[in-house]
Amino acid sequence: MNFIENIPFELPIVVTKGYVGFPKSSVNLTVERPISVNAVLVSNQKYESYCVLVCQKEIGEENIQSADDFFTVGVVAKLGNIETLNNAIRAKFVCYYRIQILSTRFENNTYYAKAMLYPDAIGDEHEEAALVTKIIENYHDGELSPLIKGSNADFNEQLTKGLSGEDFSYFIASRLGFDPLDKQDLLECANTNDRLLKIVRNIIHISKVKAVEEEINRKVNNSLEENQRTYILREKLKFIKKELGEDGEKSDETYLKKLEDNPYPEEMKNKVKDELKRKEIMPPGSLEASLIQDYLELVFNLPWFEQTQDVNDINNAKRVLDEDHYGLEKVKERILEYLAVKQFKGDLKAPILCFYGPPGCGKTSLSRSIARALGREFIKCSLGGVSDESEIRGHRRTYVGSRPGRIINLLKRAKVNNPVFLLDEIDKMTRNSLKGDPASALLEVLDPEQNTKFTDNYLEIDFDLSKVLFICTANSIDQIPEPLLDRLELIEVPSYTTFDKLHIAQDFLIKKESEANGVEQGVITFKDDAILYLIEHYTREAGVRNLERAIGKIIRKIIVDKLQGNKDRLEKVVVSTKDVKKYLGVEIFETSNKEKDKQIGVVTGLAYTSFGGDILPIEVNYFSGKGGLILTGKLGDVMKESCTIALDYVKANATKYNIDPDIFSKIDIHIHVPEGAVPKDGPSAGVAITCGIISALSKRPVSADYAMTGEVTLRGNAISIGGLREKSLAAVRSGIKNIIIPETNKANLEELPKEITNKLHVHYMKTVDDACELIFR
């Protein structure tokens, strides 16, 4: 038969029980299994005595169940000296070419291979010469003698023939007494240099093991002190246990079996095999071997294919959201839309949800509810204060103490590849010029088009994050970088109204705190007016976190009172307004903290902070000077610019407001925003600052019943602002009856609950003049 490169051919397959044939070698084998006996007979009758000789994968197995039980790389062999025995055949197999099996078929109890020649790739000739020289040196040094099959004289004769590098590698591989699997590994090498290098490593490894064994035997046979004798015996015991796979550490065979038995990605399988090969050449107990072992443990503990089954029931999701949260109707509606599309499409390729709003409004608990509705695991990663990119991507394994990033670490803890993953406080990350930008590292994580192949520096293998449901939370989106913000679907979680807080306290918080303090449900109850009093005078906030703490504090004090009265069990207690004051002491907040009377140069603005809405008193005064502008109150750059714009507008229109235009060169103007330790920024105080300057310089008092918000331009126009709901809530809490907002914000009033609009009279302005007409009455 003619065998030509790149042209497939068909031959019967003879499967051996541990013999690996190499080109230009021969062997006498006794063939006993029916499938191999049939292959020999068919080869002799129909294929000019040619066959494919391959080794089976499990050496100890008697039967071949399928083509998966033998390797796909073998040799073309020709039969000679065939001798028929009882139910067996003994024949000489002369091996010629290395082949790759492309496919197999099974017919008449015989396997046939469609195969193609698999010649060695050409490697670097200088490297090849160096490796050949190294092997010959080992032979002359006596390292190879114990490993050679056959006579040394015959071996020495072959070495003097001047074989090519390829023929030399096959000759050495066939004559050295390596394990069958090691020989198969040599046969499958892509090029001669790889094969020669592995031969050198195997020789060194076997020589070291033999040297260690000889050293142990020598020490055991000597008369040693008892402690040294005990040490050696323990070392031998450890070695024996390791050989038996009983040393508590997973053996390489265990890892390889797991690779075979589970649907791991091909990249992961190849990486693990490479690491196992590196580990083989490491001295046992070395630091490098220990680091490789830790790496393998991480890789196998990651959820490459493990996942939970989703509960695709939109009605169940609605029920869970309503059970866990009061109000937030628009937020729940958007979440249900998101989950409905996921159920309809069957995947999660959509923008990442980002809940933003003041603290204590339920952003984290909404994420937990989504996980509960879907029946998924929930994991949380707090990003507040993270300033190192390696916290996200992990450290490279070249560093001492390296470890994977938070994403991979938490997925390992979750044990499934499709949890609900909360990235909490995403706006609190900081950039470090030396350690990189963690926000930039999150770009790959939160992009559905890229996160199918997320790369952790420690793991060094692509991990598929596309099945993870990522949810982010933030207090303010102003601090989130624009590229990252572009990947997020923003859902505002607004501040709670007093009415909302009342229902949340009655339906959720009192039950939760009673259970946390060991009180049966219904034993301690609160009157509605007591909760309202608590909200107005002790817990003025956007969310309900402080309200929850205050309720818990009252419950604990009631328990102390009962125990001090020598009562073992609580009787029913109804908490009234009087009890709230008794247990919590002096009121923290007044009913209203707005200005009591009209004042010159004092205007009430409305602010939106990361903690919700608040009123912002702005004070303006002036005195003899040279036209300077003094700003205090820890103002940000944007707010400082608003002050400059306001002053320039007033200067340009001084006559209109009955202000002497020449006064500006003779005075210094001081603008102060109280609570100087609290940072303040943003353009929405522009109109209030302008009115404050006009009031101070024209000596007209400002009505204390008005608060305002709006950005001002150099032409005196009032332009739209954000956070109207929170600012309106702050006005109601502070007892203000009238607010002035830009006319362009009129549409936002529809988002305000009736509880707010019923208590506020909303006025609209197009320019600063519209605000002045109202406040200077």
Side-chain angles (χ1 to χ4, degrees), residues 609-637:
T609 70
S610 60
F611 300 100
D614 200 0
I615 66 168
L616 194 71
I618 297 170
E619 301 175 348
V620 181
N621 207 342
Y622 69 94
F623 41 84
S624 297
K626 298 180 180 179
L629 177 62
I630 303 166
L631 305 175
T632 55
K634 206 168 185 180
L635 308 185
D637 291 339

PDB file of all heavy atoms in Angstrom, residues 609-637:
ATOM      1  N   THR A 609     -28.967  65.609  48.124  1.00  0.00           N
ATOM      2  CA  THR A 609     -27.690  65.009  48.482  1.00  0.00           C
ATOM      3  C   THR A 609     -27.794  63.495  48.347  1.00  0.00           C
ATOM      4  O   THR A 609     -28.849  62.946  48.063  1.00  0.00           O
ATOM      5  CB  THR A 609     -27.302  65.361  49.931  1.00  0.00           C
ATOM      6  OG1 THR A 609     -28.196  64.666  50.820  1.00  0.00           O
ATOM      7  CG2 THR A 609     -27.412  66.853  50.179  1.00  0.00           C
ATOM      8  N   SER A 610     -26.684  62.804  48.593  1.00  0.00           N
ATOM      9  CA  SER A 610     -26.700  61.340  48.531  1.00  0.00           C
ATOM     10  C   SER A 610     -27.516  60.752  49.668  1.00  0.00           C
ATOM     11  O   SER A 610     -27.814  59.553  49.675  1.00  0.00           O
ATOM     12  CB  SER A 610     -25.261  60.805  48.592  1.00  0.00           C
ATOM     13  OG  SER A 610     -24.644  61.203  49.793  1.00  0.00           O
ATOM     14  N   PHE A 611     -27.906  61.577  50.642  1.00  0.00           N
ATOM     15  CA  PHE A 611     -28.726  61.109  51.761  1.00  0.00           C
ATOM     16  C   PHE A 611     -30.191  61.531  51.604  1.00  0.00           C
ATOM     17  O   PHE A 611     -30.980  61.412  52.526  1.00  0.00           O
ATOM     18  CB  PHE A 611     -28.162  61.652  53.077  1.00  0.00           C
ATOM     19  CG  PHE A 611     -26.759  61.228  53.330  1.00  0.00           C
ATOM     20  CD1 PHE A 611     -25.700  62.083  53.063  1.00  0.00           C
ATOM     21  CD2 PHE A 611     -26.475  59.952  53.806  1.00  0.00           C
ATOM     22  CE1 PHE A 611     -24.395  61.684  53.273  1.00  0.00           C
ATOM     23  CE2 PHE A 611     -25.168  59.547  54.018  1.00  0.00           C
ATOM     24  CZ  PHE A 611     -24.124  60.414  53.749  1.00  0.00           C
ATOM     25  N   GLY A 612     -30.550  62.069  50.450  1.00  0.00           N
ATOM     26  CA  GLY A 612     -31.921  62.497  50.212  1.00  0.00           C
ATOM     27  C   GLY A 612     -32.003  64.005  50.079  1.00  0.00           C
ATOM     28  O   GLY A 612     -31.007  64.693  49.853  1.00  0.00           O
ATOM     29  N   GLY A 613     -33.237  64.541  50.205  1.00  0.00           N
ATOM     30  CA  GLY A 613     -33.427  65.968  50.067  1.00  0.00           C
ATOM     31  C   GLY A 613     -33.188  66.720  51.378  1.00  0.00           C
ATOM     32  O   GLY A 613     -33.268  66.146  52.462  1.00  0.00           O
ATOM     33  N   ASP A 614     -32.899  68.021  51.258  1.00  0.00           N
ATOM     34  CA  ASP A 614     -32.697  68.839  52.450  1.00  0.00           C
ATOM     35  C   ASP A 614     -32.908  70.296  52.052  1.00  0.00           C
ATOM     36  O   ASP A 614     -32.793  70.665  50.881  1.00  0.00           O
ATOM     37  CB  ASP A 614     -31.277  68.642  52.998  1.00  0.00           C
ATOM     38  CG  ASP A 614     -31.172  69.068  54.466  1.00  0.00           C
ATOM     39  OD1 ASP A 614     -32.196  69.507  55.035  1.00  0.00           O
ATOM     40  OD2 ASP A 614     -30.076  68.950  55.033  1.00  0.00           O
ATOM     41  N   ILE A 615     -33.249  71.120  53.061  1.00  0.00           N
ATOM     42  CA  ILE A 615     -33.344  72.562  52.775  1.00  0.00           C
ATOM     43  C   ILE A 615     -31.960  73.161  52.972  1.00  0.00           C
ATOM     44  O   ILE A 615     -31.125  72.638  53.717  1.00  0.00           O
ATOM     45  CB  ILE A 615     -34.388  73.253  53.665  1.00  0.00           C
ATOM     46  CG1 ILE A 615     -33.960  73.224  55.132  1.00  0.00           C
ATOM     47  CG2 ILE A 615     -35.759  72.664  53.469  1.00  0.00           C
ATOM     48  CD1 ILE A 615     -34.808  74.134  55.995  1.00  0.00           C
ATOM     49  N   LEU A 616     -31.718  74.265  52.261  1.00  0.00           N
ATOM     50  CA  LEU A 616     -30.380  74.832  52.232  1.00  0.00           C
ATOM     51  C   LEU A 616     -30.466  76.341  52.451  1.00  0.00           C
ATOM     52  O   LEU A 616     -30.687  77.101  51.509  1.00  0.00           O
ATOM     53  CB  LEU A 616     -29.740  74.529  50.871  1.00  0.00           C
ATOM     54  CG  LEU A 616     -28.240  74.729  50.735  1.00  0.00           C
ATOM     55  CD1 LEU A 616     -27.500  73.648  51.511  1.00  0.00           C
ATOM     56  CD2 LEU A 616     -27.848  74.632  49.263  1.00  0.00           C
ATOM     57  N   PRO A 617     -30.352  76.815  53.709  1.00  0.00           N
ATOM     58  CA  PRO A 617     -30.364  78.261  53.944  1.00  0.00           C
ATOM     59  C   PRO A 617     -29.112  78.904  53.336  1.00  0.00           C
ATOM     60  O   PRO A 617     -28.001  78.406  53.524  1.00  0.00           O
ATOM     61  CB  PRO A 617     -30.352  78.386  55.467  1.00  0.00           C
ATOM     62  CG  PRO A 617     -30.406  77.012  56.009  1.00  0.00           C
ATOM     63  CD  PRO A 617     -30.157  76.045  54.921  1.00  0.00           C
ATOM     64  N   ILE A 618     -29.310  79.973  52.597  1.00  0.00           N
ATOM     65  CA  ILE A 618     -28.185  80.680  51.960  1.00  0.00           C
ATOM     66  C   ILE A 618     -28.159  82.102  52.513  1.00  0.00           C
ATOM     67  O   ILE A 618     -29.158  82.827  52.446  1.00  0.00           O
ATOM     68  CB  ILE A 618     -28.343  80.690  50.435  1.00  0.00           C
ATOM     69  CG1 ILE A 618     -28.295  79.252  49.902  1.00  0.00           C
ATOM     70  CG2 ILE A 618     -27.259  81.541  49.779  1.00  0.00           C
ATOM     71  CD1 ILE A 618     -28.677  79.127  48.453  1.00  0.00           C
ATOM     72  N   GLU A 619     -27.024  82.471  53.104  1.00  0.00           N
ATOM     73  CA  GLU A 619     -26.879  83.783  53.736  1.00  0.00           C
ATOM     74  C   GLU A 619     -25.950  84.660  52.912  1.00  0.00           C
ATOM     75  O   GLU A 619     -24.885  84.212  52.478  1.00  0.00           O
ATOM     76  CB  GLU A 619     -26.301  83.632  55.146  1.00  0.00           C
ATOM     77  CG  GLU A 619     -27.162  82.768  56.060  1.00  0.00           C
ATOM     78  CD  GLU A 619     -26.521  82.531  57.416  1.00  0.00           C
ATOM     79  OE1 GLU A 619     -25.314  82.839  57.568  1.00  0.00           O
ATOM     80  OE2 GLU A 619     -27.203  82.045  58.315  1.00  0.00           O
ATOM     81  N   VAL A 620     -26.391  85.903  52.680  1.00  0.00           N
ATOM     82  CA  VAL A 620     -25.577  86.860  51.918  1.00  0.00           C
ATOM     83  C   VAL A 620     -25.439  88.144  52.739  1.00  0.00           C
ATOM     84  O   VAL A 620     -26.441  88.669  53.259  1.00  0.00           O
ATOM     85  CB  VAL A 620     -26.215  87.179  50.550  1.00  0.00           C
ATOM     86  CG1 VAL A 620     -25.330  88.157  49.773  1.00  0.00           C
ATOM     87  CG2 VAL A 620     -26.447  85.909  49.750  1.00  0.00           C
ATOM     88  N   ASN A 621     -24.208  88.627  52.857  1.00  0.00           N
ATOM     89  CA  ASN A 621     -23.953  89.891  53.564  1.00  0.00           C
ATOM     90  C   ASN A 621     -22.869  90.655  52.813  1.00  0.00           C
ATOM     91  O   ASN A 621     -22.178  90.077  51.967  1.00  0.00           O
ATOM     92  CB  ASN A 621     -23.521  89.618  55.003  1.00  0.00           C
ATOM     93  CG  ASN A 621     -23.872  90.761  55.939  1.00  0.00           C
ATOM     94  OD1 ASN A 621     -24.134  91.886  55.488  1.00  0.00           O
ATOM     95  ND2 ASN A 621     -23.905  90.481  57.232  1.00  0.00           N
ATOM     96  N   TYR A 622     -22.738  91.938  53.121  1.00  0.00           N
ATOM     97  CA  TYR A 622     -21.684  92.715  52.454  1.00  0.00           C
ATOM     98  C   TYR A 622     -21.157  93.743  53.437  1.00  0.00           C
ATOM     99  O   TYR A 622     -21.786  94.078  54.443  1.00  0.00           O
ATOM    100  CB  TYR A 622     -22.214  93.398  51.188  1.00  0.00           C
ATOM    101  CG  TYR A 622     -23.204  94.510  51.436  1.00  0.00           C
ATOM    102  CD1 TYR A 622     -22.782  95.848  51.520  1.00  0.00           C
ATOM    103  CD2 TYR A 622     -24.567  94.245  51.583  1.00  0.00           C
ATOM    104  CE1 TYR A 622     -23.691  96.871  51.758  1.00  0.00           C
ATOM    105  CE2 TYR A 622     -25.476  95.262  51.814  1.00  0.00           C
ATOM    106  CZ  TYR A 622     -25.038  96.574  51.899  1.00  0.00           C
ATOM    107  OH  TYR A 622     -25.914  97.585  52.129  1.00  0.00           O
ATOM    108  N   PHE A 623     -19.975  94.264  53.107  1.00  0.00           N
ATOM    109  CA  PHE A 623     -19.310  95.257  53.950  1.00  0.00           C
ATOM    110  C   PHE A 623     -18.294  95.996  53.091  1.00  0.00           C
ATOM    111  O   PHE A 623     -18.021  95.598  51.957  1.00  0.00           O
ATOM    112  CB  PHE A 623     -18.635  94.571  55.146  1.00  0.00           C
ATOM    113  CG  PHE A 623     -17.943  93.285  54.799  1.00  0.00           C
ATOM    114  CD1 PHE A 623     -16.646  93.278  54.289  1.00  0.00           C
ATOM    115  CD2 PHE A 623     -18.601  92.063  54.951  1.00  0.00           C
ATOM    116  CE1 PHE A 623     -16.028  92.106  53.945  1.00  0.00           C
ATOM    117  CE2 PHE A 623     -17.973  90.879  54.617  1.00  0.00           C
ATOM    118  CZ  PHE A 623     -16.681  90.886  54.112  1.00  0.00           C
ATOM    119  N   SER A 624     -17.730  97.050  53.654  1.00  0.00           N
ATOM    120  CA  SER A 624     -16.780  97.874  52.881  1.00  0.00           C
ATOM    121  C   SER A 624     -15.609  97.017  52.393  1.00  0.00           C
ATOM    122  O   SER A 624     -15.073  96.189  53.122  1.00  0.00           O
ATOM    123  CB  SER A 624     -16.249  99.023  53.750  1.00  0.00           C
ATOM    124  OG  SER A 624     -17.320  99.867  54.121  1.00  0.00           O
ATOM    125  N   GLY A 625     -15.241  97.255  51.153  1.00  0.00           N
ATOM    126  CA  GLY A 625     -14.150  96.482  50.580  1.00  0.00           C
ATOM    127  C   GLY A 625     -13.777  96.982  49.214  1.00  0.00           C
ATOM    128  O   GLY A 625     -14.017  98.152  48.876  1.00  0.00           O
ATOM    129  N   LYS A 626     -13.266  96.030  48.361  1.00  0.00           N
ATOM    130  CA  LYS A 626     -12.784  96.425  47.040  1.00  0.00           C
ATOM    131  C   LYS A 626     -13.393  95.572  45.923  1.00  0.00           C
ATOM    132  O   LYS A 626     -12.763  95.304  44.912  1.00  0.00           O
ATOM    133  CB  LYS A 626     -11.258  96.328  46.994  1.00  0.00           C
ATOM    134  CG  LYS A 626     -10.565  97.250  47.971  1.00  0.00           C
ATOM    135  CD  LYS A 626      -9.052  97.116  47.883  1.00  0.00           C
ATOM    136  CE  LYS A 626      -8.344  98.037  48.875  1.00  0.00           C
ATOM    137  NZ  LYS A 626      -6.854  97.887  48.788  1.00  0.00           N
ATOM    138  N   GLY A 627     -14.584  95.094  46.142  1.00  0.00           N
ATOM    139  CA  GLY A 627     -15.259  94.329  45.095  1.00  0.00           C
ATOM    140  C   GLY A 627     -14.972  92.839  45.129  1.00  0.00           C
ATOM    141  O   GLY A 627     -15.135  92.157  44.128  1.00  0.00           O
ATOM    142  N   GLY A 628     -14.571  92.337  46.282  1.00  0.00           N
ATOM    143  CA  GLY A 628     -14.247  90.910  46.402  1.00  0.00           C
ATOM    144  C   GLY A 628     -15.486  90.056  46.644  1.00  0.00           C
ATOM    145  O   GLY A 628     -16.544  90.545  47.045  1.00  0.00           O
ATOM    146  N   LEU A 629     -15.330  88.754  46.395  1.00  0.00           N
ATOM    147  CA  LEU A 629     -16.401  87.774  46.652  1.00  0.00           C
ATOM    148  C   LEU A 629     -15.847  86.689  47.557  1.00  0.00           C
ATOM    149  O   LEU A 629     -14.876  86.008  47.215  1.00  0.00           O
ATOM    150  CB  LEU A 629     -16.912  87.155  45.340  1.00  0.00           C
ATOM    151  CG  LEU A 629     -17.973  86.056  45.474  1.00  0.00           C
ATOM    152  CD1 LEU A 629     -19.239  86.597  46.118  1.00  0.00           C
ATOM    153  CD2 LEU A 629     -18.293  85.438  44.111  1.00  0.00           C
ATOM    154  N   ILE A 630     -16.452  86.541  48.732  1.00  0.00           N
ATOM    155  CA  ILE A 630     -15.995  85.548  49.716  1.00  0.00           C
ATOM    156  C   ILE A 630     -17.031  84.432  49.791  1.00  0.00           C
ATOM    157  O   ILE A 630     -18.226  84.688  49.953  1.00  0.00           O
ATOM    158  CB  ILE A 630     -15.821  86.199  51.103  1.00  0.00           C
ATOM    159  CG1 ILE A 630     -14.831  87.373  51.011  1.00  0.00           C
ATOM    160  CG2 ILE A 630     -15.354  85.162  52.127  1.00  0.00           C
ATOM    161  CD1 ILE A 630     -14.838  88.277  52.218  1.00  0.00           C
ATOM    162  N   LEU A 631     -16.581  83.191  49.654  1.00  0.00           N
ATOM    163  CA  LEU A 631     -17.481  82.025  49.665  1.00  0.00           C
ATOM    164  C   LEU A 631     -17.066  81.074  50.772  1.00  0.00           C
ATOM    165  O   LEU A 631     -15.896  80.693  50.860  1.00  0.00           O
ATOM    166  CB  LEU A 631     -17.426  81.305  48.313  1.00  0.00           C
ATOM    167  CG  LEU A 631     -17.719  82.138  47.065  1.00  0.00           C
ATOM    168  CD1 LEU A 631     -17.509  81.311  45.816  1.00  0.00           C
ATOM    169  CD2 LEU A 631     -19.140  82.688  47.104  1.00  0.00           C
ATOM    170  N   THR A 632     -17.991  80.729  51.646  1.00  0.00           N
ATOM    171  CA  THR A 632     -17.702  79.780  52.724  1.00  0.00           C
ATOM    172  C   THR A 632     -18.829  78.746  52.821  1.00  0.00           C
ATOM    173  O   THR A 632     -19.919  78.932  52.292  1.00  0.00           O
ATOM    174  CB  THR A 632     -17.554  80.499  54.081  1.00  0.00           C
ATOM    175  OG1 THR A 632     -18.722  81.285  54.327  1.00  0.00           O
ATOM    176  CG2 THR A 632     -16.327  81.390  54.104  1.00  0.00           C
ATOM    177  N   GLY A 633     -18.549  77.660  53.524  1.00  0.00           N
ATOM    178  CA  GLY A 633     -19.538  76.598  53.688  1.00  0.00           C
ATOM    179  C   GLY A 633     -19.143  75.325  52.954  1.00  0.00           C
ATOM    180  O   GLY A 633     -19.983  74.479  52.661  1.00  0.00           O
ATOM    181  N   LYS A 634     -17.835  75.173  52.596  1.00  0.00           N
ATOM    182  CA  LYS A 634     -17.313  73.992  51.895  1.00  0.00           C
ATOM    183  C   LYS A 634     -18.072  73.746  50.592  1.00  0.00           C
ATOM    184  O   LYS A 634     -18.672  72.686  50.378  1.00  0.00           O
ATOM    185  CB  LYS A 634     -17.387  72.756  52.799  1.00  0.00           C
ATOM    186  CG  LYS A 634     -16.346  71.696  52.430  1.00  0.00           C
ATOM    187  CD  LYS A 634     -16.220  70.630  53.486  1.00  0.00           C
ATOM    188  CE  LYS A 634     -15.101  69.669  53.127  1.00  0.00           C
ATOM    189  NZ  LYS A 634     -14.926  68.602  54.107  1.00  0.00           N
ATOM    190  N   LEU A 635     -18.042  74.759  49.722  1.00  0.00           N
ATOM    191  CA  LEU A 635     -18.755  74.683  48.452  1.00  0.00           C
ATOM    192  C   LEU A 635     -17.884  74.015  47.397  1.00  0.00           C
ATOM    193  O   LEU A 635     -16.665  74.217  47.337  1.00  0.00           O
ATOM    194  CB  LEU A 635     -19.144  76.085  47.969  1.00  0.00           C
ATOM    195  CG  LEU A 635     -19.890  76.982  48.965  1.00  0.00           C
ATOM    196  CD1 LEU A 635     -20.305  78.279  48.295  1.00  0.00           C
ATOM    197  CD2 LEU A 635     -21.107  76.263  49.534  1.00  0.00           C
ATOM    198  N   GLY A 636     -18.532  73.236  46.536  1.00  0.00           N
ATOM    199  CA  GLY A 636     -17.829  72.600  45.433  1.00  0.00           C
ATOM    200  C   GLY A 636     -17.617  73.562  44.283  1.00  0.00           C
ATOM    201  O   GLY A 636     -18.143  74.691  44.273  1.00  0.00           O
ATOM    202  N   ASP A 637     -16.850  73.132  43.271  1.00  0.00           N
ATOM    203  CA  ASP A 637     -16.503  74.016  42.153  1.00  0.00           C
ATOM    204  C   ASP A 637     -17.743  74.489  41.400  1.00  0.00           C
ATOM    205  O   ASP A 637     -17.826  75.656  40.999  1.00  0.00           O
ATOM    206  CB  ASP A 637     -15.567  73.270  41.188  1.00  0.00           C
ATOM    207  CG  ASP A 637     -14.195  73.026  41.791  1.00  0.00           C
ATOM    208  OD1 ASP A 637     -13.853  73.749  42.742  1.00  0.00           O
ATOM    209  OD2 ASP A 637     -13.485  72.131  41.314  1.00  0.00           O
TER     210      ASP A 637
END
